[in-house]
Amino acid sequence: MRPVAILGIGQTNIDEQWDKSLREIGGEAALAAMHDAGMDKVDSLFVGNMLSSTISGQNQLGAFFADWIGLWKQEAVKVEAACASGAAALRAGLMAVSAGDIDSALVVGVEKMSDKTGHDVTSALATAADADYELEQGISFVGLNALIMRRYMHEFGWKHEDFAPFSINAHANAMHNPFARLHEKITVEKFEKSSMIATPINLLDASPTGDGAAAVVIVPAEKVASLTGKPRIVIAGSASATDSIAVHSRKDPMFLSAAHHSAKRAYDMAHVSPEDIDVFELHDAFTIMVALSLEACGFAERGQGVRLGLENGISLNGRVPVCTRGGLKARGHPVGATGIYQVVEVVQQLRGECGATQVDGARIGMAQNIGGSGATILTHILKAE
Amino acid sequence: MRPVAILGIGQTNIDEQWDKSLREIGGEAALAAMHDAGMDKVDSLFVGNMLSSTISGQNQLGAFFADWIGLWKQEAVKVEAACASGAAALRAGLMAVSAGDIDSALVVGVEKMSDKTGHDVTSALATAADADYELEQGISFVGLNALIMRRYMHEFGWKHEDFAPFSINAHANAMHNPFARLHEKITVEKFEKSSMIATPINLLDASPTGDGAAAVVIVPAEKVASLTGKPRIVIAGSASATDSIAVHSRKDPMFLSAAHHSAKRAYDMAHVSPEDIDVFELHDAFTIMVALSLEACGFAERGQGVRLGLENGISLNGRVPVCTRGGLKARGHPVGATGIYQVVEVVQQLRGECGATQVDGARIGMAQNIGGSGATILTHILKAE
């Protein structure tokens, strides 16, 4: 495989963007990334999206966006892996550039979720779960996560408030991210008093959805001049793994097997170990997922991920800074776009562009994107050279 | 890029399969391909599908099928490009194996369309068109093709019955394909008297949808032993191109620009020209598309594709045999699966397994898969070595 670098990044605000269409949101991030890369044409387009067919009545987003942003004639395709669609699109683009068949790829993660009512969006999101064996029972996506969280609390003896540091950290960091959905500091008291959604998951355990898009331009690393003034960001590790789609089919629903396997493959490919990771943009769709991700990726023992939050291990100067731009919890979770937001944020850290939430001396960063309740998980490791 | 070969193929009947679920149909083709390849495990799974989120309420088909067929832990993802989803999934798998990151990929195209009413399916299929600028006008997918066909007839002076050979050829060949949706010979008289759908497209101009799945296993060509008794089938050319998603935005709606560009790239990559193609599985969703494909790929002059049918150029011993297993018209068109059916059929030709519809001495075959009304088009060229 020839090495590949990220040359440009772009992103939009995450919000209820009533004045902008799916087209406009995706186009805005795409053009921002191309501008950042200093390119006005790329060989190919890979779009990560989960919901446009159900919410916007629009499929074939590859050609749809290639048309809109002027990539006429170029190759374009959509990749879908539920909430891991963004990272899955990046990996598809990476493979094509690595193979040598194309020399540049624009990867866009995009989601427009506000055009339907909450009920319709909940139904659309539920397509990430097993339609035959989970949804037929009437459970929602947050319900599945609630079952896992309750069992975890029972098994390992944690109280609900022990998860508060994950959300507090994310909200604090999002204060400094102009693209974030939420700009509001929270406290343990506020966390505990928040409205219940599906016990034990309350509103401040859960990430807000929204409309948004993020994009990166990737090219062969050898084509990136070393003297641009910015560090060269290479994709040193990339891996994808799956687990059973239905939670009840897993040997241990409290272990993210696909996170473990994709992280292990990515570490091996990048020749690093968890100790080497300076910043980790993880998939905190719900606070329970922070604990499970930290455990599966080797940052905490089984059942002890929560402790890392309580002991200040996830803050900007902690053992493994997470959600440095707000995470899904406060930056927001426009589902198919999230995986690209994570990668964009890791690039910002490695470039030293994060201001008040910059991790000092960050050289190696990891992004992990989860589809469904852990069924598809992709891990990417970036290095600044 | 390291060369890649197709080691195994599998397919299901195309029909209204009321007794089988999405899971079972896709799984059946997948396991058949792995059996044909003599493998019980592969590194990765790429699924081509267009409609499962709207029709079956199921997204994340990568993990969904990996789980069902026992590819636990393995990488899996879904690729979507409307009716070109199958070929787009093949190309994604091809890039990953070519890059060297994985050593084998199972590519499954699958569609389960019978679980909704005709009205719902028509709406779901319409998501391949431009939701903002075409669907808002109330036009259906067949309506868009009817506009193109009418203009083509006007522009080049063809009558409706001139298109009959395309359907007659497809139906005749499908008689010998046990997996085909339709086993019924037709005549010019029957073609002309068929029920009108959207003038000038009648029922025998249009392909039937259905439930079905097809699959291939791909591996590095160097890993295929030369003495298996079967010829080694390599993917010698692969390319994807796009055009504007809305038909009205094209400079010339009667020229399949994306077919032209993807075919040209595939010819160049495979070091062949149209004269070298022994068999061409093209995307005859409607008879007009046969004419436009033949013209765009260099088999006929502009406006003269129809002549190739009238002058016996597309039959088994013609200049370019097409739809040798029945094509979309009679084998059937389970939309996201179609691109893989085409590739499976080319492999059958190159292996010499087609019995009564075998093209003598076929060594080089081409498959072309169209998404939307020409917005995404992929061309693959296979060679028997």
Side-chain angles (χ1 to χ4, degrees):
Chain A
M1 284 178 64
R2 63 173 177 173
V4 171
I6 298 180
L7 191 58
I9 56 175
Q11 59 187 318
T12 73
N13 292 343
I14 298 176
D15 210 335
E16 292 180 6
Q17 303 206 40
W18 298 105
D19 56 339
K20 288 182 187 166
S21 68
L22 172 66
R23 248 189 184 89
E24 292 166 316
I25 292 170
E28 185 180 324
L31 294 177
M34 287 176 66
H35 180 76
D36 187 51
M39 296 173 78
D40 57 12
K41 195 180 167 191
V42 289
D43 285 350
S44 61
L45 171 66
F46 294 81
V47 179
N49 173 271
M50 175 182 175
L51 301 172
S52 78
S53 63
T54 25
I55 291 187
S56 307
Q58 184 67 62
N59 256 312
Q60 206 181 182
L61 289 196
F64 176 82
F65 281 112
D67 183 18
W68 178 244
I69 63 177
L71 294 179
W72 296 298
K73 302 180 190 172
Q74 301 306 73
E75 169 169 14
V77 76
K78 184 188 93 177
V79 177
E80 188 271 329
C83 300
S85 298
L90 175 61
R91 186 164 157 80
L94 173 67
M95 290 297 107
V97 177
S98 286
D101 192 47
I102 54 172
D103 271 342
S104 55
L106 171 63
V107 186
V108 180
V110 59
E111 209 72 69
K112 177 80 173 114
M113 306 178 71
S114 300
D115 290 348
K116 293 274 184 182
T117 62
H119 173 268
D120 286 339
V121 172
T122 298
S123 294
L125 287 171
T127 61
D130 189 312
D132 292 339
Y133 299 116
E134 291 181 324
L135 302 191
E136 279 294 310
Q137 314 306 319
I139 197 164
S140 69
F141 198 65
V142 58
L144 286 166
N145 282 272
L147 291 174
I148 298 171
M149 185 171 179
R150 181 174 281 286
R151 183 72 199 176
Y152 181 93
M153 290 164 67
H154 169 78
E155 200 78 41
F156 299 108
W158 298 107
K159 300 185 300 295
H160 181 259
E161 68 181 53
D162 297 330
F163 292 82
F166 296 145
S167 295
I168 292 171
N169 172 67
H171 276 259
N173 290 337
M175 295 296 289
H176 307 282
N177 179 0
F179 300 102
R181 177 91 157 90
L182 304 175
H183 293 108
E184 181 193 2
K185 280 206 170 189
I186 61 166
T187 60
V188 177
E189 294 66 39
K190 191 158 181 176
F191 179 79
E192 279 305 284
K193 286 183 182 162
S194 183
S195 315
M196 191 56 70
I197 302 175
T199 174
I201 291 179
N202 75 22
L203 197 62
L204 286 177
D205 284 297
S207 55
T209 60
D211 306 328
V216 296
V217 173
I218 59 175
V219 295
E222 68 196 15
K223 301 214 171 181
V224 181
S226 51
L227 294 171
T228 59
K230 292 175 185 173
R232 185 169 77 165
I233 313 293
V234 296
I235 303 178
S238 170
S240 174
T242 56
D243 199 347
S244 71
I245 189 162
V247 174
H248 60 242
S249 293
R250 297 180 196 156
K251 275 189 190 164
D252 181 352
M254 289 172 296
F255 183 67
L256 290 175
S257 163
H260 175 76
H261 289 289
S262 71
K264 185 171 182 316
R265 286 182 211 159
Y267 290 145
D268 290 349
M269 192 173 165
H271 307 295
V272 299
S273 63
E275 294 70 40
D276 301 313
I277 303 299
D278 297 317
V279 56
F280 180 20
E281 291 303 331
L282 49 69
H283 193 96
D284 56 327
F286 302 99
T287 49
I288 179 63
M289 284 292 140
V290 184
L292 299 189
S293 298
L294 290 169
E295 295 168 20
C297 298
F299 296 102
E301 295 297 312
R302 290 296 310 279
Q304 302 303 312
V306 171
R307 192 180 303 280
L308 213 55
L310 292 168
E311 295 177 353
N312 209 31
I314 58 162
S315 60
L316 295 171
N317 54 5
R319 181 183 156 200
V320 55
V322 307
C323 305
T324 65
R325 307 295 281 158
L328 281 64
K329 178 65 202 81
R331 171 242 294 136
H333 183 28
V335 293
T338 290
I340 304 295
Y341 273 97
Q342 295 174 314
V343 169
V344 163
E345 292 162 356
V346 171
V347 171
Q348 290 181 312
Q349 284 287 357
L350 301 188
R351 283 181 178 176
E353 296 175 346
C354 291
T357 63
Q358 179 64 42
V359 174
D360 284 342
R363 304 292 294 169
I364 302 176
M366 184 157 95
Q368 189 172 71
N369 196 195
I370 301 183
S373 42
T376 307
I377 305 187
L378 290 103
T379 307
H380 283 93
I381 295 175
L382 311 185
K383 282 186 186 175
E385 294 183 343
Chain B
M1 284 178 63
R2 62 174 177 174
V4 171
I6 298 179
L7 190 59
I9 56 175
Q11 59 188 318
T12 72
N13 291 344
I14 298 176
D15 210 335
E16 293 181 6
Q17 304 206 39
W18 299 104
D19 56 338
K20 289 183 187 167
S21 68
L22 172 67
R23 246 188 186 91
E24 292 166 317
I25 293 170
E28 186 179 323
L31 295 177
M34 287 175 66
H35 180 75
D36 187 51
M39 296 173 78
D40 57 12
K41 197 180 166 191
V42 289
D43 286 351
S44 61
L45 171 66
F46 294 81
V47 179
N49 173 270
M50 176 183 175
L51 302 171
S52 77
S53 64
T54 23
I55 290 187
S56 308
Q58 184 66 63
N59 256 312
Q60 205 179 182
L61 289 197
F64 176 83
F65 281 112
D67 182 17
W68 178 245
I69 62 177
L71 294 179
W72 297 298
K73 302 179 188 171
Q74 301 306 73
E75 169 168 15
V77 75
K78 184 187 94 177
V79 177
E80 188 271 329
C83 300
S85 298
L90 175 61
R91 185 163 157 81
L94 173 66
M95 290 296 108
V97 177
S98 286
D101 191 47
I102 54 172
D103 271 340
S104 56
L106 171 63
V107 186
V108 181
V110 58
E111 209 72 69
K112 177 80 173 116
M113 306 178 69
S114 299
D115 290 347
K116 293 274 183 183
T117 63
H119 173 267
D120 286 340
V121 172
T122 298
S123 295
L125 288 171
T127 61
D130 190 312
D132 292 340
Y133 299 115
E134 291 182 324
L135 302 191
E136 280 293 309
Q137 314 304 321
I139 196 163
S140 69
F141 198 66
V142 59
L144 285 166
N145 282 273
L147 291 175
I148 298 171
M149 185 170 178
R150 181 173 281 286
R151 182 73 199 176
Y152 181 94
M153 290 164 68
H154 169 79
E155 200 79 39
F156 299 108
W158 298 108
K159 300 186 300 296
H160 181 258
E161 68 181 52
D162 296 331
F163 292 82
F166 295 144
S167 295
I168 292 170
N169 172 67
H171 276 258
N173 290 336
M175 294 295 289
H176 306 283
N177 178 2
F179 300 103
R181 177 91 158 89
L182 304 175
H183 292 110
E184 181 192 2
K185 280 207 171 189
I186 62 167
T187 60
V188 178
E189 294 65 40
K190 191 158 182 176
F191 180 79
E192 279 303 286
K193 286 182 181 164
S194 183
S195 316
M196 192 54 70
I197 302 175
T199 173
I201 292 179
N202 75 21
L203 198 63
L204 286 177
D205 284 296
S207 55
T209 60
D211 307 327
V216 295
V217 173
I218 58 175
V219 295
E222 67 196 17
K223 302 212 170 184
V224 181
S226 52
L227 294 171
T228 58
K230 293 176 185 173
R232 184 170 78 165
I233 312 294
V234 296
I235 303 178
S238 169
S240 174
T242 57
D243 198 348
S244 72
I245 189 162
V247 174
H248 61 242
S249 294
R250 296 181 197 156
K251 273 187 191 163
D252 180 352
M254 288 171 297
F255 183 67
L256 290 176
S257 163
H260 175 77
H261 289 290
S262 71
K264 185 171 183 315
R265 286 181 211 159
Y267 290 144
D268 289 349
M269 192 172 165
H271 307 295
V272 299
S273 63
E275 293 70 41
D276 300 314
I277 303 299
D278 297 317
V279 56
F280 181 19
E281 291 303 330
L282 49 69
H283 193 96
D284 56 327
F286 303 99
T287 49
I288 179 63
M289 284 293 140
V290 183
L292 299 190
S293 298
L294 290 169
E295 295 168 20
C297 298
F299 296 102
E301 295 297 311
R302 291 296 311 280
Q304 301 304 312
V306 171
R307 191 179 304 279
L308 214 54
L310 291 168
E311 295 178 354
N312 210 29
I314 58 162
S315 60
L316 295 171
N317 54 4
R319 181 181 157 202
V320 56
V322 307
C323 306
T324 65
R325 307 296 281 158
L328 280 64
K329 178 66 201 81
R331 171 242 294 134
H333 183 28
V335 292
T338 290
I340 304 296
Y341 273 98
Q342 295 174 313
V343 169
V344 163
E345 291 162 357
V346 171
V347 171
Q348 289 181 313
Q349 284 287 357
L350 301 188
R351 283 182 179 175
E353 296 175 347
C354 291
T357 63
Q358 179 64 44
V359 174
D360 283 343
R363 305 293 293 169
I364 302 177
M366 183 157 96
Q368 188 171 72
N369 195 195
I370 302 183
S373 42
T376 307
I377 304 186
L378 291 103
T379 307
H380 284 93
I381 296 175
L382 311 185
K383 282 186 187 176
E385 294 183 342

